[in-house]
Amino acid sequence: KIDSAQLQLHYDQSHTANAGAVTIEARRATADWLATTATWSNASANVGELGNTTAQVDDGDVWQTAATGAWPQATSADRQHAVNADYVSNKNATTGESYTWVPALNEAGTYRVEARLVTGPDRATNVPYTVAYNGGSQAYTVNQSATSAGGVWRALGSHPFAAGTAGTVK
């Protein structure tokens, strides 16, 4: 099982004198294949939907996050369910405290936004999230409680984002 992978490409049109656009696609493999037998003629049997651009912002990415109020690092055993085995939480009754993630996007496009949660029976059932994107914002209420602790992703919709750091998840 592959937990994480990156594909980085560089294309130089020097042999065509930059005469035209060239489409390059990355597609998910949907069947087993061997590097020794894979060819362009049999590739269509092993590929599925187009790949996508992913930007993952963790609470440890100081330059891409901002906290208002008290957000201590988790010290419990359920850290194993978090991204990079750490997370911050806010369990006090002070209003107005927030945590903001700022993705640094290389290209404009529609991105599916998800929040990674470490659920548990002592978590809130009505956590407010706001996704600010290119052209607007959308509010969500997320139930972070569960009968036992574990890591889950919660979808916050798909939204158009501009390239750069203009969008946020708060």
Side-chain angles (χ1 to χ4, degrees), residues 27-33 46-49:
R27 292 187 176 258
R28 182 175 71 94
T30 58
D32 294 339
W33 59 276
N46 298 328
V47 297
E49 73 273 1

Side-chain angles (χ1 to χ4, degrees), residues 30-154:
T30 58
D32 294 339
W33 59 276
L34 297 172
T36 56
T37 59
T39 66
W40 287 113
S41 62
N42 68 16
S44 63
N46 298 328
V47 297
E49 73 273 1
L50 280 171
N52 59 25
T53 300
T54 301
Q56 184 173 341
V57 184
D58 187 24
D59 58 287
D61 300 332
V62 177
W63 60 275
Q64 293 180 334
T65 60
T68 302
W71 292 85
Q73 285 283 332
T75 58
S76 62
D78 58 3
R79 289 176 63 167
Q80 67 181 327
H81 301 292
V83 172
N84 295 324
D86 73 335
Y87 68 95
V88 296
S89 63
N90 180 301
K91 292 186 180 183
N92 65 40
T94 306
T95 59
E97 297 185 341
S98 65
Y99 203 96
T100 304
W101 295 266
V102 181
L105 303 175
N106 293 327
E107 62 184 75
T110 299
Y111 288 81
R112 186 174 72 193
V113 179
E114 297 180 338
R116 176 75 176 176
L117 315 173
V118 177
T119 60
D122 63 341
R123 308 303 199 261
T125 60
N126 59 344
V127 179
Y129 281 82
T130 301
V131 178
Y133 51 87
N134 189 17
S137 66
Q138 176 72 43
Y140 296 89
T141 302
V142 176
N143 182 350
Q144 295 184 346
S145 69
T147 56
S148 62
V152 297
W153 290 99
R154 294 281 196 253

